[in-house]
Amino acid sequence: MANLVVVGAQWGDEAKGKVIDYLAQDASMVVRYSGGNNAGHSVTVGQEEYKFHLVPSGILHPQVTCVLADGVVIDPGVLVKEIEELCARGLPVDNLKISAAAHVILPYHRLQDQLEEARRGEHRIGTTGRGIGPAYTDKAARCGIRMGDLVDPVRFEERLRAILPIKNALLTGVYGVEPFDAGQILKEYRAHADYLRRFVCDTPALVHRAASTDRSVLFEGAQGTMLDLDLGTYPYVTSSHPIAGGACLGTGVGPTLIDGVIGVAKSYTTRVGAGVFPTELTCEIGSYIRERGREYGTTTGRPRRCGWLDIVALRYAAQVNGMTYIALGHLDVLSGLPEVKICVAYRTAEGVVMTGMPSDLAFRTEIAPVYEVLPGWDTDISEVRTLEDLPCNARAYVRRVEELIGVPVASLSVGPAREQTILLRDPR
Ligand code: IMO
Ligand code: MG
């Protein structure tokens, strides 16, 4: 195989989990490199549905070593629960490794996330409220606690007792809420540490060895390109680096060890949370897509905003990720629409047509999409397994998308199940 990054090419929720699960059949390792339990990755196997927030989607394949690498932030309570659920379903978890350098989400991060959102009022980001942003903030401010600290009882207590007074000063002074008690946090987190200790190790050498020797490592992206802290629609972004380059930052593997980048995209666009969304459909077509695509958050249950495919964003994603292939999903959801639209450019209020992504898109609420309109298709395609068997209008849609982005489509997805996949080119 090859070392491949699987990256979200839109605003998250592109069904990366399904693509990872498919490719993991031939992988030796699957590594989550960024984000935390703001992610929600679903994998359907037969009648069983698995929802992962932290554990890599490769866990369903017994030969795969699954790594939560340095770039991930970990809420230990959530991870313990996820591991226990897997055990209860009879899945082996011994091949799970957690980086000692991954940062820990603490109770004050979750509270801070919620208080900051409330304070933003109408400018709120619509975060998942899981403490992700504050945990990454503390990492950059060098007052974070890492998994290696957590599983060392002495170091954990020392770090917490040094950091908590500052956190409490902020919480009581600025937000006027009750301070946290160090003893309580220590008690709760020591129990998590005892449970997780056996999984914690130094992962950079492990990932490097697998990437250079086996050459079959999958780097599992979370979130999506447009949510990247630097390259997304700032400030309506997450606090980490979902893009392919994040796989290097978040695992310690150099860029020359990466052989390819698969951008995962839906055949339309969704966004959950606030922020600009040029192709959003607030009419009944938006609801049609939401219901057919079951577009409700895996993590928060929020209804997702739905809209037509945005090629400006996808071309940008192809560029910033160095995408070698696209995995295009949810094609079945568009069945039954008389016509399908593709946004090929943005038009500003002054009438200027842009085909490139502006760095201040978040503030360009006046931007209007320029659409190309294609005929729709009526037939149910969820049982189709080859490109030839797709209705010709669906085929034409895929070809046009491929042409506009300039990156080959490797696979099409026509439903959530493993077998509802049409392979056009094998990226492995
Ligand atoms: P997966 O991996 C979709 C969005 C939130 C919010 C913004 C910041 O399932 O694709 P955060 O809690 O990260 O500080 O929220 O980012 N967001 C996601 N949207 N899918 C995700 O992950 C997301 N993770 C974060 O809705 O707008
Ligand atoms: Mg999600």
Side-chain angles (χ1 to χ4, degrees), residues 8 11-16 32 36-41 52-53 113 117 125-134 221-224 227 235-240 270-275 298-300 302 304:
W11 275 274
D13 302 324
E14 300 92 348
K16 298 173 285 292
R32 260 288 297 270
N37 59 314
N38 46 350
H41 298 174
F52 303 112
H53 298 290
D113 193 354
E117 274 288 86
I125 297 164
T127 72
T128 57
R130 304 293 194 260
I132 309 294
Q223 289 78 55
L227 291 171
Y236 297 92
V237 291
T238 191
S239 298
S240 67
T270 65
R271 181 163 198 181
V272 59
T298 313
T299 302
T300 56
R302 289 179 289 178
R304 295 178 186 141

XYZ file of all heavy atoms in Angstrom, residues 8 11-16 32 36-41 52-53 113 117 125-134 221-224 227 235-240 270-275 298-300 302 304, ligand 1:
388
model
N -10.595 15.783 5.286
C -11.898 16.382 4.971
C -11.677 17.564 4.038
O -10.887 18.447 4.335
N -16.320 21.325 5.133
C -16.438 21.865 6.495
C -16.647 20.736 7.520
O -17.331 20.930 8.517
C -17.601 22.853 6.558
C -17.251 24.248 6.149
C -16.720 25.226 6.953
C -17.415 24.863 4.866
N -16.549 26.388 6.233
C -16.966 26.201 4.955
C -17.894 24.411 3.621
C -16.981 27.090 3.882
C -17.910 25.291 2.559
C -17.452 26.617 2.686
N -16.063 19.589 7.290
C -16.237 18.464 8.209
C -17.444 17.621 7.824
O -18.191 17.963 6.891
N -17.598 16.469 8.490
C -18.730 15.566 8.256
C -18.793 15.031 6.831
O -19.884 14.811 6.296
C -20.062 16.253 8.609
C -20.084 16.721 10.047
O -19.514 16.022 10.895
O -20.666 17.789 10.306
N -17.646 14.802 6.215
C -17.631 14.331 4.827
C -17.726 12.809 4.737
O -17.615 12.246 3.636
C -16.342 14.791 4.121
C -16.130 16.293 4.042
C -15.322 16.818 5.225
O -15.138 16.068 6.201
O -14.881 17.978 5.162
N -17.880 12.129 5.864
C -17.882 10.665 5.917
C -16.472 10.105 5.696
O -16.259 9.173 4.923
C -18.881 10.061 4.940
N -15.536 10.716 6.421
C -14.155 10.249 6.374
C -14.030 8.856 6.987
O -13.211 8.052 6.563
C -13.246 11.228 7.144
C -13.223 12.615 6.555
C -12.455 13.604 7.434
C -13.179 14.062 8.679
N -14.351 14.909 8.471
N -4.871 8.991 14.079
C -5.613 10.264 14.173
C -4.589 11.341 14.494
O -3.816 11.204 15.430
C -6.614 10.204 15.328
C -8.086 9.922 15.019
C -8.862 11.024 14.348
N -9.014 12.275 15.090
C -10.005 12.545 15.915
N -10.950 11.678 16.128
N -10.070 13.725 16.527
N -10.238 16.473 18.451
C -10.537 15.666 19.626
C -11.915 15.074 19.466
O -12.273 14.656 18.352
N -12.701 15.092 20.561
C -14.037 14.510 20.456
C -15.061 15.520 19.932
O -16.253 15.356 20.146
C -14.464 13.879 21.776
C -14.483 14.854 22.933
O -13.547 15.625 23.120
N -15.547 14.855 23.709
N -14.592 16.524 19.220
C -15.486 17.329 18.385
C -15.807 16.556 17.102
O -16.767 16.867 16.406
C -14.863 18.706 18.044
C -13.407 18.625 17.591
O -12.773 17.590 17.688
N -12.884 19.743 17.113
N -14.989 15.560 16.789
C -15.197 14.727 15.600
C -16.253 13.662 15.875
O -16.442 13.242 17.017
C -13.887 14.054 15.222
N -16.906 13.254 14.814
C -17.847 12.144 14.920
C -17.731 11.311 13.660
O -18.179 11.737 12.607
N -17.076 10.162 13.750
C -16.839 9.345 12.564
C -17.662 8.063 12.641
O -17.534 7.296 13.580
C -15.341 9.043 12.419
C -14.520 10.297 12.233
N -13.156 10.311 12.199
C -14.896 11.591 12.069
C -12.727 11.558 12.016
N -13.774 12.342 11.947
N -17.390 6.824 16.259
C -16.160 7.126 16.978
C -15.976 8.626 17.118
O -16.243 9.372 16.184
C -14.950 6.548 16.234
C -15.037 5.069 16.015
C -15.200 4.546 14.741
C -14.971 4.201 17.094
C -15.296 3.175 14.545
C -15.052 2.824 16.906
C -15.219 2.310 15.627
N -15.532 9.036 18.286
C -15.209 10.448 18.479
C -13.701 10.622 18.631
O -13.138 11.624 18.256
C -15.946 11.003 19.699
C -17.435 10.932 19.520
N -18.096 11.728 18.629
C -18.374 10.126 20.071
C -19.387 11.438 18.647
N -19.577 10.460 19.511
N -15.052 26.750 27.246
C -15.600 26.697 25.883
C -17.043 27.213 25.898
O -17.431 28.077 25.095
C -15.550 25.233 25.400
C -15.787 25.079 23.897
O -16.097 26.087 23.239
O -15.662 23.945 23.385
N -18.437 30.886 24.447
C -19.489 30.907 23.427
C -20.639 31.814 23.854
O -21.127 32.625 23.063
C -20.012 29.484 23.190
C -19.226 28.692 22.188
C -19.412 29.147 20.754
O -18.676 30.077 20.358
O -20.265 28.604 20.045
N -19.325 30.997 17.613
C -18.766 30.150 16.554
C -19.654 28.921 16.330
O -19.698 28.365 15.248
C -17.328 29.721 16.955
C -16.427 30.960 17.062
C -16.739 28.714 15.981
C -15.134 30.736 17.805
N -20.391 28.548 17.376
C -21.156 27.308 17.288
C -20.248 26.121 17.522
O -20.307 25.123 16.809
N -19.368 26.230 18.517
C -18.438 25.124 18.801
C -19.227 23.919 19.314
O -20.404 24.028 19.659
C -17.393 25.496 19.881
O -18.053 25.550 21.156
C -16.712 26.811 19.590
N -18.540 22.803 19.399
C -19.189 21.600 19.913
C -19.270 21.628 21.442
O -19.862 20.745 22.042
C -18.421 20.339 19.459
O -17.060 20.468 19.911
C -18.421 20.196 17.941
N -18.628 22.609 22.057
C -18.700 22.746 23.517
C -17.926 21.687 24.274
O -18.148 21.464 25.460
N -16.982 21.048 23.589
C -16.251 19.931 24.208
C -14.913 20.355 24.828
O -14.132 19.505 25.238
C -15.998 18.819 23.179
C -17.242 18.272 22.499
C -18.124 17.537 23.503
N -19.132 16.730 22.845
C -20.400 17.070 22.688
N -20.818 18.244 23.125
N -21.261 16.261 22.096
N -14.639 21.657 24.789
C -13.388 22.129 25.399
C -12.191 22.087 24.458
O -11.040 22.246 24.882
N -12.447 21.857 23.185
C -11.373 21.686 22.203
C -10.534 22.971 22.076
O -9.302 22.929 22.207
C -11.949 21.306 20.808
C -12.916 20.124 20.918
C -10.846 21.091 19.788
C -12.330 18.807 21.320
N -11.203 24.098 21.812
C -10.494 25.370 21.614
C -9.636 25.733 22.827
O -8.434 25.984 22.700
N -10.215 25.768 24.036
C -9.413 26.096 25.215
C -8.241 25.128 25.458
O -7.183 25.551 25.920
C -10.436 26.037 26.353
C -11.731 26.407 25.683
C -11.654 25.773 24.328
N -7.773 12.145 9.093
C -8.101 13.532 9.388
C -9.426 13.623 10.119
O -10.296 12.776 9.962
N -9.565 14.664 10.929
C -10.858 14.991 11.531
C -11.206 16.402 11.049
O -10.363 17.095 10.477
C -10.764 14.946 13.046
N -12.448 16.799 11.256
C -12.910 18.115 10.781
C -12.676 18.243 9.266
O -12.667 17.235 8.576
C -12.239 19.262 11.549
C -12.691 19.410 12.992
C -12.083 18.412 13.942
O -10.875 18.283 14.028
N -12.902 17.711 14.683
N -12.439 19.468 8.790
C -12.267 19.623 7.350
C -11.407 20.832 7.042
O -11.159 21.684 7.911
N -12.266 24.296 8.050
C -12.271 24.539 9.495
C -10.851 24.655 10.034
O -10.636 24.758 11.247
C -13.016 23.411 10.227
C -14.531 23.326 10.019
C -15.079 22.028 10.618
C -15.249 24.529 10.625
N -12.665 33.629 11.755
C -12.518 32.894 13.012
C -13.525 31.749 13.214
O -13.556 31.156 14.278
C -12.757 33.986 14.048
C -13.784 34.889 13.405
C -13.480 34.860 11.927
N -14.326 31.431 12.191
C -15.306 30.349 12.336
C -14.653 29.018 11.985
O -14.981 28.398 10.960
C -16.546 30.634 11.492
C -17.256 31.889 11.957
C -16.961 33.134 11.394
C -18.174 31.843 12.998
C -17.577 34.287 11.853
C -18.799 32.995 13.466
C -18.491 34.215 12.891
O -19.093 35.353 13.352
N -13.700 28.632 12.792
C -12.890 27.445 12.528
C -12.701 26.657 13.823
O -13.118 27.107 14.892
C -11.496 27.863 11.983
C -11.605 28.451 10.590
C -10.797 28.854 12.928
N -12.038 25.540 13.721
C -11.651 24.809 14.915
C -10.227 25.264 15.266
O -9.622 26.025 14.522
C -11.789 23.283 14.705
O -11.648 22.635 15.979
C -10.754 22.736 13.726
N -9.689 24.798 16.396
C -8.408 25.360 16.852
C -7.209 24.510 16.490
O -6.153 24.621 17.100
C -8.468 25.575 18.365
O -9.491 26.504 18.652
N -7.369 23.628 15.503
C -6.249 22.748 15.140
C -6.047 22.748 13.627
O -6.615 23.573 12.917
C -6.522 21.340 15.651
O -7.614 20.774 14.955
N -22.155 20.597 3.436
C -22.853 20.852 4.704
C -21.921 21.637 5.612
O -20.700 21.624 5.454
C -23.269 19.561 5.447
O -22.096 18.843 5.839
C -24.162 18.677 4.605
N -22.535 22.288 6.549
C -21.762 22.974 7.582
C -22.583 22.933 8.863
O -23.799 23.126 8.833
C -21.503 24.420 7.146
C -20.690 25.174 8.165
C -20.048 26.443 7.667
N -18.985 26.756 8.627
C -18.187 27.797 8.576
N -18.294 28.660 7.597
N -17.272 27.982 9.502
N -21.913 22.698 9.986
C -22.613 22.732 11.264
C -21.927 23.800 12.108
O -20.713 23.950 12.047
C -22.670 21.328 11.929
C -21.305 20.748 12.177
C -23.471 21.340 13.206
N -22.700 24.601 12.807
C -22.113 25.745 13.516
C -22.272 26.983 12.657
O -22.790 26.918 11.536
N -21.791 28.107 13.187
C -21.984 29.373 12.486
C -20.894 29.607 11.447
O -19.950 28.840 11.344
C -21.985 30.505 13.507
N -21.061 30.677 10.675
C -20.047 31.053 9.691
C -20.590 31.048 8.285
O -21.612 30.404 8.001
N -23.237 13.872 14.419
C -22.913 12.651 15.169
C -22.512 13.009 16.597
O -22.728 12.249 17.533
C -21.711 11.933 14.503
O -21.950 11.873 13.100
C -21.515 10.536 15.034
N -21.918 14.183 16.759
C -21.393 14.576 18.055
C -22.421 15.347 18.881
O -22.587 15.097 20.071
C -20.118 15.433 17.855
O -19.189 14.647 17.119
C -19.480 15.844 19.159
N -23.127 16.267 18.240
C -24.029 17.137 19.003
C -25.502 16.969 18.620
O -26.367 17.542 19.270
C -23.649 18.613 18.783
O -23.680 18.884 17.380
C -22.260 18.920 19.324
N -26.963 18.292 16.229
C -27.482 19.511 15.591
C -27.814 19.254 14.118
O -27.055 18.557 13.437
C -26.425 20.629 15.652
C -26.193 21.184 17.024
C -25.117 22.266 16.997
N -23.780 21.730 16.756
C -22.683 22.486 16.658
N -22.768 23.794 16.752
N -21.510 21.940 16.473
N -27.584 19.820 10.352
C -26.528 20.478 9.577
C -27.138 21.383 8.512
O -28.186 21.068 7.958
C -25.649 19.419 8.899
C -24.902 18.574 9.910
C -24.056 17.494 9.231
N -23.456 16.608 10.220
C -23.324 15.297 10.086
N -23.740 14.681 8.986
N -22.765 14.575 11.040
P -15.751 15.638 11.895
O -14.431 14.989 12.197
C -18.186 19.206 11.511
C -17.055 22.740 13.858
C -18.043 23.155 14.936
C -17.804 24.645 14.946
C -16.302 24.764 14.742
C -15.490 24.927 16.016
O -16.942 14.879 12.332
O -15.800 16.041 10.454
P -14.867 23.239 17.977
O -15.734 22.482 18.932
O -13.982 22.389 17.136
O -14.115 24.360 18.636
O -15.912 23.970 16.978
O -15.913 23.561 14.089
N -16.610 21.330 13.930
C -17.045 20.359 13.108
N -17.991 20.365 12.158
N -17.512 18.064 11.741
C -16.531 18.050 12.671
O -15.726 16.975 12.830
C -16.295 19.212 13.434
N -15.460 19.517 14.447
C -15.642 20.827 14.725
O -19.359 22.836 14.573
O -18.442 25.255 13.842
